[in-house]
Amino acid sequence: MRLRLPEERPTEPPTGYKIAHPMLSQDGTWAGFTGVSLGGALPYGVLADASCVYGLRHRAPSRRCDCGFHCVHDRTTAEALLCPAEHRSAVLLEVTVLGRYLRFERGFRYARQRVRTATVGPCACGTVAAALADAGWGRPGRLALAPSCAGCLLGRTSVSLAGFARLAGEGLRVAAGKGVSVAVAGLGATEELGVPELTAEAALLQARLDWFQAQLARLGERGPGGAGKG
């Protein structure tokens, strides 16, 4: 006799939490995420169906496989996953668990999900993130992104937090998490940049303007024929 596990029939889809790396397509027209462990080879969008990472034809999640999306019940548990060095640039996702799922002590393994919110951590320098910038690695056709403040963009491919949300679509909300407060003229010394979307957009535009001005200055030093002064 085979033991059958009880089936749940919730009145509304469960909520879970996970971490993932934000991704941007090479042509800049698509934004999504990729997992930090087993499913890292398969980027996914805001609304997505799981498939078996081993290429098997069964439906995910299968009881005899570890395929499917994974999440935990508790936000604090998911935040703890951001502590290892290799996960510091990942973002925290709040997801809606859809379709078939298997419940475990700490979370779910499931067939379909909708990412509702993405919380972006601070820049590597500790400042509140204003954008997501090229992290220096990726997947075929996809660039991995990492949180960045306006001062650390350095001409890298980047997208503002609001811009990432627009590209991802499906009502995704992207917010900047806590970081070091930055004093700005006209604002109090404890004002945190990056939390309001308009502030993040303005900081990103200013960083790009500074970069272009630096490039123009270099061209001016070279002269009309490309030769440097001297």
Side-chain angles (χ1 to χ4, degrees):
M1 180 181 295
R2 187 172 64 180
L3 178 66
R4 293 181 62 86
L5 297 176
E7 293 186 2
E8 296 186 24
R9 299 187 181 278
T11 56
E12 59 183 28
T15 295
Y17 302 89
K18 62 193 300 181
I19 64 172
H21 293 291
M23 306 290 284
L24 180 69
S25 64
Q26 187 177 9
D27 60 6
T29 61
W30 177 91
F33 305 94
T34 195
V36 298
S37 56
L38 183 64
L42 301 174
Y44 55 85
V46 172
L47 181 63
D49 294 293
S51 59
C52 180
V53 295
Y54 302 111
L56 301 179
R57 296 183 179 180
H58 56 240
R59 290 195 305 165
S62 171
R63 296 186 187 277
R64 297 184 178 182
C65 186
D66 52 5
C67 59
F69 290 122
H70 295 72
C71 72
V72 295
H73 300 305
D74 183 64
R75 182 187 180 97
T76 302
T77 302
E79 289 175 337
L81 299 175
L82 295 169
C83 292
E86 63 271 24
H87 297 163
R88 293 289 178 90
S89 62
V91 299
L92 177 69
L93 304 182
E94 179 182 336
V95 302
T96 298
V97 175
L98 303 171
R100 299 171 59 248
Y101 64 82
L102 301 175
R103 180 187 287 272
F104 297 92
E105 181 181 359
R106 294 188 177 183
F108 299 100
R109 183 157 62 90
Y110 51 101
R112 183 175 171 83
Q113 73 177 8
R114 179 186 294 276
V115 181
R116 296 206 305 246
T117 63
T119 302
V120 179
C123 176
C125 71
T127 305
V128 174
L132 291 165
D134 185 0
W137 64 276
R139 300 284 183 260
R142 303 282 191 266
L143 295 175
L145 304 177
S148 177
C149 68
C152 292
L153 287 175
L154 300 176
R156 291 179 293 166
T157 299
S158 62
V159 60
S160 69
L161 305 189
F164 185 90
R166 286 194 297 269
L167 286 174
E170 298 290 347
L172 175 69
R173 293 185 295 113
V174 182
K178 296 180 180 179
V180 178
S181 299
V182 179
V184 179
L187 297 177
T190 59
E191 183 73 18
E192 289 189 349
L193 297 181
V195 178
E197 290 184 351
L198 290 177
T199 302
E201 291 275 12
L204 179 59
L205 289 174
Q206 183 61 52
R208 287 176 173 170
L209 178 61
D210 292 342
W211 183 81
F212 280 117
Q213 288 176 335
Q215 300 304 309
L216 288 173
R218 291 178 183 177
L219 290 174
E221 292 177 356
R222 294 177 181 176
K229 295 181 179 179

